[in-house]
Amino acid sequence: MRGRLDLLSRLFLRRHVHRRSKPSSSPAPPPFPNPPRPPQKPEPVSIHGETWHDSYAWMGALSDAAAMRHMDVHMEAEEKYTEACLAACGADRLARKLQLEMASRLASEACTPPVRWGPWLYYRRADEGKQYPVLCRRSAALHSEFVSYSDPSAGFDFTAGKRIEQKLVDYNKEAERFGGYSYEELSEVSPDHRFIAYTMYDKEKDSFTLLVRDLVTGTLCDKPRADRVSNISWAMDGKALVYIVTNEDRRPYRLFFSIIGSNKDDILVLEEPDENIFLNIRHTKDFRYITLNVFSDTHSRVYLINASAPLSQMTLVWEGESQVHCIVEHHRGRLYLFTDAAREGVPVDSHYLMQSDVERPGPKSWKDVFLEESGVILEDVDFCDTHMVLTLRQGRKLRLCSVNLPLPENIKVPARLSDFRPFDLPLPNDVCQILSGPNYDYYSSTMRFSISSPVMPDAVVDYNLLNGKWQLVQQQNLLHERTKALYGTAFAASRRSSSDRADLSNEDFEDNAWNELSEYYACEYYDVPSKDGVLVPLTLVYSRKHKQDGNPGLLHGHGAYGEILDKRWRSELKSLLDCGWVIAYADVRGGGGYGKKWHQEGSRTKKTNSVYDFVSCGEFLLEKGIIQENKLAGWGYSAGGLLVAAAINSRPDLFRAAVLKLSFSALQVPFLDVCNTLLHPILPLTAIDYEEFGFPVDHEEFLAIRKYSPYDNIQKDVPYPAVFVTSSFNTRFGVWEAAKWVAKLRELTQYDPERPVVLNLTTDVVEESKYLQTKELALETAFLIKMVNGV
């Protein structure tokens, strides 16, 4: 043994000496390449007496075969340039390292927590070696001792001699049916649990196809089969299906009725020929009614359809102005309307709740349930047979409270919320988002919610509304440090003994501790004055261990469609936090969470407010020394790409780097070439898009659009930050938007090879792959680190 140790010592010494005497030198990185220069073919654009030329309009000429051949060549050049730039700065090697880190944290769950609905537990799980999940169910009563949140399929029915699990839809087989992709948009199990209706994306048709599967036999029903389906609702206790199809411009315009198992053709119930009218349906949670929303750019209406007789005359129950949110629910003879519609022509700033008698419905029969309270915003409401649960916001603070149903007859509405004796359900600190879970079982008093925080991985929580107890069902991506579980995967419910009952809706939950990361990561809040003095909420997250004055930082923004900025803990950001980065979130106007007016103050002619807010937050971070000068980066996804690009145009000196992720839903196109796209849309736009960004035919809105459009406001001969733009090859998502902006940015700005503007092209976004997700995230993170910290 001693001789072996001596041998090892000599070998170690030789290796050590070898390193000292002849140091290894990694090959020098290749130089930064020159960017591609696509041909310029100026085309004139004229409106309101103004004419300008678009040199890269040809990139979006989808019907021009020659232009598309040029586009293919140019996209190939962009790919090679991106690879060369990443290699030159070493981001490619760093990305591979980061991908390994992120993949370990983003390990997909083997199974979703089972959802109780009637006699069944529904869940999705992954088979080993398979890319897509399988939708399954098992009897909640059969061998309940085997029920587990982490492995609900475990167990064996010894009486019947078979596994207790039933596979409903194998999405790996669906991928074979639909050209290698398995992307489901809608999925509804019938109330009798006999059928499942779902829509799958068909790449060849570029639309969603409706399928109905018999859950007893496992076979697909011959009908209904339809393409371009946008909504589905069950009727007649699961014997019939109501669905809506879109036209070629993706406008929902036809309502069909189909009896399952019938050989008769589906019945066209309603068709809206007006190009400005859109249809939408949903069933109430008790399956007694189907609501039909008919909305246009001038009005909104809600009709009530009796689910037991869907071909009978529908009843108009509400009508109001355009572009409003309205959901109707039914509870024991009463209708409840959750809406943000104007009151008697006066706009409101947030949602409110109204009720009406189902026997005497009508647009004028509604009464408010709650009196308005200053500073309180009703964000959401969910119903079961015994309770309603309200999500409330007071400033930055969120509340989740339950109210007993039916409402007391002795309390005359409208009344103060406190009159109904609400029960506040427990929440962790720093909650930034509460999402209602599936909650399919209307007659269960247990409701599920997803709770998010900037310093806590998303938690799935079941609340027993009868006694206020709660249980942490599942929490993803917890840390592991020494003996303490902080990161990885945790199923709180797995601590239950095998003798626990499977009836989750009746068990007495034991309170659990929230698995927060606040011991390691801190969350701070600021109100930043914008250009016009309006205070903009700014949230900071940083590592307590690595925080110091003058850290590098990443500023996130979205600011469109009234959507709440995603401030959830995301494990991929841990790589930046542990390198000392500060992650900042700017809740700029145009986004959601602070009332309807907050959204309106950042849309249409006031869209520049979003940009001012974002820039002001960036300036604040540098002025206060929170982020070091020349080490601020911007990050925007979807419509946030427009925000960050416009902010860079406004203050290119403020940012060292930026990441724009543009491969998202076509219904919310992340415009970079806003004016040209709104004037001459290559892809069909919706009324929501014009409502958000403006209608350039109107002269005032045209001037506002020209003022903030990223493509039209690039500063000439000025140094710009390094930019990493991600877009999809799929033409459905408008890759030309990104390609045009990148080409013009390189053309006009001061060229700096060490601050490249690269276009990262991804595959179709319907691809669901943890590997591809971590690869893209790692590339973006590596690019930011190299550009901000220096090559």
Side-chain angles (χ1 to χ4, degrees):
M1 185 70 179
R2 175 74 177 269
R4 185 180 178 189
L5 287 172
D6 290 340
L7 177 62
L8 288 173
S9 299
R10 290 195 300 273
L11 286 173
F12 176 78
L13 179 62
R14 287 176 186 172
R15 292 174 61 189
H16 182 69
V17 171
H18 177 72
R19 285 200 186 99
R20 290 285 301 273
S21 60
K22 196 175 182 180
S24 62
S25 57
S26 57
F32 278 92
N34 291 320
R37 295 193 176 276
Q40 298 185 32
K41 304 174 184 179
E43 294 185 14
V45 183
S46 298
I47 190 173
H48 300 302
E50 291 190 30
T51 299
W52 65 94
H53 289 81
D54 184 1
S55 297
Y56 301 104
W58 62 269
M59 291 185 176
L62 303 185
S63 59
D64 187 333
M68 290 301 96
R69 284 196 296 271
H70 282 118
M71 191 63 169
D72 287 341
V73 172
H74 179 56
M75 291 297 97
E76 185 176 346
E78 288 285 7
E79 284 188 281
K80 292 179 179 178
Y81 175 70
T82 298
E83 291 176 2
C85 282
L86 295 176
C89 68
D92 56 344
R93 297 186 298 276
L94 179 57
R96 288 191 288 271
K97 176 187 174 184
L98 292 173
Q99 188 177 359
L100 293 175
E101 289 182 15
M102 295 176 179
S104 65
R105 302 184 204 127
L106 289 177
S108 58
E109 306 297 346
C111 180
T112 61
V115 175
R116 172 71 182 264
W117 182 10
W120 296 98
L121 290 169
Y122 289 88
Y123 52 93
R124 293 176 190 247
R125 65 170 181 80
D127 283 332
E128 188 175 354
K130 297 294 183 67
Q131 182 176 3
Y132 298 105
V134 182
L135 176 62
C136 305
R137 72 180 179 189
R138 56 157 291 172
S139 170
L142 183 61
H143 297 297
S144 59
E145 65 271 17
F146 289 110
V147 174
S148 163
Y149 282 106
S150 57
D151 190 11
S153 64
F156 192 81
D157 183 354
F158 295 99
T159 304
K162 61 183 181 182
R163 291 188 66 83
I164 59 179
E165 176 184 80
Q166 179 187 0
K167 290 186 178 181
L168 305 182
V169 182
D170 186 338
Y171 294 98
N172 297 285
K173 293 181 179 179
E174 296 298 329
E176 297 174 6
R177 187 193 316 275
F178 291 100
Y181 295 102
S182 185
Y183 184 53
E184 176 190 78
E185 185 174 53
L186 305 172
S187 178
E188 293 283 352
V189 175
S190 61
D192 61 356
H193 304 274
R194 171 68 190 270
F195 301 98
I196 181 172
Y198 58 106
T199 61
M200 300 297 299
Y201 179 69
D202 189 327
K203 183 183 177 185
E204 295 299 321
K205 298 176 181 178
D206 192 18
S207 67
F208 287 90
T209 296
L210 172 65
L211 302 168
V212 176
R213 187 177 295 275
D214 188 326
L215 299 183
V216 174
T217 65
T219 59
L220 287 174
C221 300
D222 293 333
K223 57 181 293 297
R225 296 279 185 95
D227 295 326
R228 302 198 305 262
V229 173
S230 62
N231 284 114
I232 53 179
S233 286
W234 287 102
M236 299 171 60
D237 293 325
K239 297 181 179 64
L241 189 70
V242 181
Y243 63 94
I244 287 178
V245 300
T246 67
N247 63 8
E248 293 181 353
D249 291 331
R250 298 188 176 88
R251 178 179 69 89
Y253 78 122
R254 283 179 175 171
L255 177 68
F256 284 92
F257 168 81
S258 176
I259 295 180
I260 307 300
S262 170
N263 293 323
K264 296 181 180 179
D265 292 338
D266 294 350
I267 298 173
L268 177 62
V269 179
L270 177 67
E271 180 174 1
E272 280 291 351
D274 190 329
E275 288 297 320
N276 294 315
I277 294 180
F278 299 77
L279 306 180
N280 180 278
I281 57 171
R282 65 177 296 276
H283 62 78
T284 57
K285 295 193 72 173
D286 60 2
F287 285 97
R288 291 178 180 267
Y289 296 95
I290 296 171
T291 59
L292 170 66
N293 287 53
V294 180
F295 56 95
S296 71
D297 54 2
T298 60
H299 69 270
S300 298
R301 297 190 180 99
V302 181
Y303 293 87
L304 199 65
I305 300 172
N306 189 332
S308 62
L311 295 180
S312 60
Q313 185 174 1
M314 59 185 71
T315 305
L316 176 66
V317 295
W318 184 86
E319 60 182 340
E321 76 276 18
S322 65
Q323 303 302 325
V324 295
H325 182 232
C326 43
I327 293 178
V328 173
E329 268 301 341
H330 173 256
H331 181 273
R332 301 189 191 182
R334 288 200 177 275
L335 298 176
Y336 287 89
L337 173 66
F338 178 66
T339 184
D340 61 353
R343 297 175 182 269
E344 299 180 354
V346 179
V348 299
D349 196 35
S350 63
H351 287 80
Y352 54 94
L353 189 66
M354 305 181 81
Q355 71 173 18
S356 174
D357 195 324
V358 74
E359 297 298 329
R360 294 183 296 276
K364 300 185 182 300
S365 66
W366 296 95
K367 293 181 180 180
D368 285 309
V369 176
F370 304 116
L371 290 170
E372 289 188 52
E373 295 184 50
S374 178
V376 178
I377 294 175
L378 177 59
E379 286 206 338
D380 200 5
V381 60
D382 202 350
F383 290 83
C384 68
D385 189 49
T386 58
H387 294 80
M388 72 167 71
V389 179
L390 310 173
T391 304
L392 304 168
R393 180 184 292 274
Q394 293 175 268
R396 287 190 174 94
K397 186 175 177 59
L398 286 171
R399 286 177 62 195
L400 190 65
C401 61
S402 63
V403 174
N404 291 348
L405 288 178
L407 297 178
E409 293 291 341
N410 63 328
I411 299 179
K412 185 178 180 180
V413 298
R416 294 188 301 271
L417 173 60
S418 58
D419 293 337
F420 297 101
R421 302 181 66 184
F423 180 85
D424 278 271
L425 300 170
L427 292 172
N429 297 321
D430 298 308
V431 175
C432 65
Q433 182 173 289
I434 301 174
L435 295 178
S436 184
N439 297 324
Y440 295 120
D441 199 336
Y442 179 72
Y443 297 100
S444 169
S445 295
T446 296
M447 294 186 73
R448 180 168 293 178
F449 293 86
S450 292
I451 312 296
S452 301
S453 160
V455 289
M456 183 190 78
D458 286 0
V460 179
V461 183
D462 278 354
Y463 291 96
N464 188 327
L465 303 179
L466 297 177
N467 57 23
K469 298 289 185 178
W470 63 281
Q471 182 157 5
L472 189 61
V473 173
Q474 186 186 74
Q475 189 165 20
Q476 299 179 348
N477 303 324
L478 293 180
L479 285 167
H480 290 283
E481 187 168 302
R482 295 192 180 95
T483 59
K484 187 173 182 180
L486 301 172
Y487 217 102
T489 301
F491 292 88
S494 64
R495 296 194 295 266
R496 296 164 52 190
S497 66
S498 61
S499 60
D500 286 345
R501 290 171 295 161
D503 187 356
L504 308 180
S505 57
N506 293 322
E507 69 174 300
D508 291 328
F509 295 159
E510 294 183 3
D511 288 350
N512 298 284
W514 297 103
N515 289 325
E516 297 180 275
L517 305 178
S518 53
E519 180 182 350
Y520 304 93
Y521 302 96
C523 195
E524 293 182 2
Y525 304 96
Y526 297 90
D527 290 314
V528 178
S530 188
K531 183 178 181 180
D532 56 0
V534 171
L535 296 180
V536 181
L538 180 67
T539 303
L540 304 186
V541 181
Y542 58 86
S543 167
R544 295 184 185 276
K545 181 179 179 181
H546 299 97
K547 178 67 167 66
Q548 59 188 19
D549 290 337
N551 292 59
L554 182 61
L555 180 61
H556 288 243
H558 184 69
Y561 297 104
E563 294 178 351
I564 296 175
L565 178 63
D566 185 3
K567 298 190 285 287
R568 297 174 300 161
W569 169 267
R570 296 203 302 277
S571 59
E572 67 269 19
L573 294 179
K574 184 179 184 295
S575 297
L576 286 176
L577 290 169
D578 291 349
C579 287
W581 283 57
V582 175
I583 310 297
Y585 300 91
D587 276 300
V588 303
R589 282 170 284 183
Y594 297 92
K596 197 171 182 180
K597 185 179 178 182
W598 189 260
H599 169 217
Q600 294 169 343
E601 286 294 310
S603 59
R604 302 191 77 154
T605 58
K606 299 179 180 180
K607 191 67 188 171
T608 50
N609 284 338
S610 302
V611 184
Y612 296 147
D613 294 352
F614 193 77
V615 169
S616 295
C617 287
E619 292 172 340
F620 175 86
L621 292 169
L622 298 184
E623 290 169 1
K624 297 298 181 181
I626 298 170
I627 292 176
Q628 185 176 330
E629 192 81 26
N630 204 34
K631 286 201 172 184
L632 174 65
W635 195 93
Y637 69 92
S638 189
L642 180 154
L643 171 70
V644 177
I648 290 172
N649 282 338
S650 175
R651 285 290 308 278
D653 59 308
L654 189 63
F655 302 92
R656 175 70 187 187
V659 169
L660 313 183
K661 291 179 69 73
L662 305 182
S663 51
F664 282 77
S665 170
L667 296 180
Q668 296 184 2
V669 179
F671 304 131
L672 290 174
D673 182 16
V674 188
C675 196
N676 287 326
T677 299
L678 291 174
L679 279 172
H680 308 291
I682 298 169
L683 299 176
L685 303 178
T686 69
I688 296 174
D689 295 315
Y690 289 107
E691 189 70 23
E692 183 65 33
F693 298 105
F695 192 51
V697 173
D698 178 273
H699 187 245
E700 182 184 2
E701 296 194 4
F702 164 76
L703 294 176
I705 293 166
R706 289 281 286 175
K707 189 175 180 180
Y708 73 78
S709 171
Y711 189 67
D712 299 306
N713 290 280
I714 298 170
Q715 295 192 39
K716 193 172 183 179
D717 296 328
V718 171
Y720 263 55
V723 185
F724 190 91
V725 185
T726 295
S727 190
S728 171
F729 272 124
N730 192 334
T731 56
R732 182 178 177 221
F733 297 90
V735 67
W736 57 87
E737 285 273 348
K740 289 176 66 176
W741 184 74
V742 165
K744 191 172 181 180
L745 196 67
R746 294 183 188 138
E747 172 199 342
L748 296 180
T749 61
Q750 192 178 105
Y751 175 67
D752 183 349
E754 295 191 0
R755 290 194 183 189
V757 178
V758 299
L759 179 56
N760 178 45
L761 297 167
T762 67
T763 54
D764 302 79
V765 297
V766 295
E767 183 74 54
E768 293 181 353
S769 168
K770 290 290 182 183
Y771 171 79
L772 291 179
Q773 289 176 21
T774 54
K775 181 180 179 182
E776 297 304 321
L777 291 169
L779 277 176
E780 294 162 5
T781 305
F783 181 84
L784 288 173
I785 292 174
K786 288 295 183 180
M787 293 298 106
V788 171
N789 291 342
V791 178

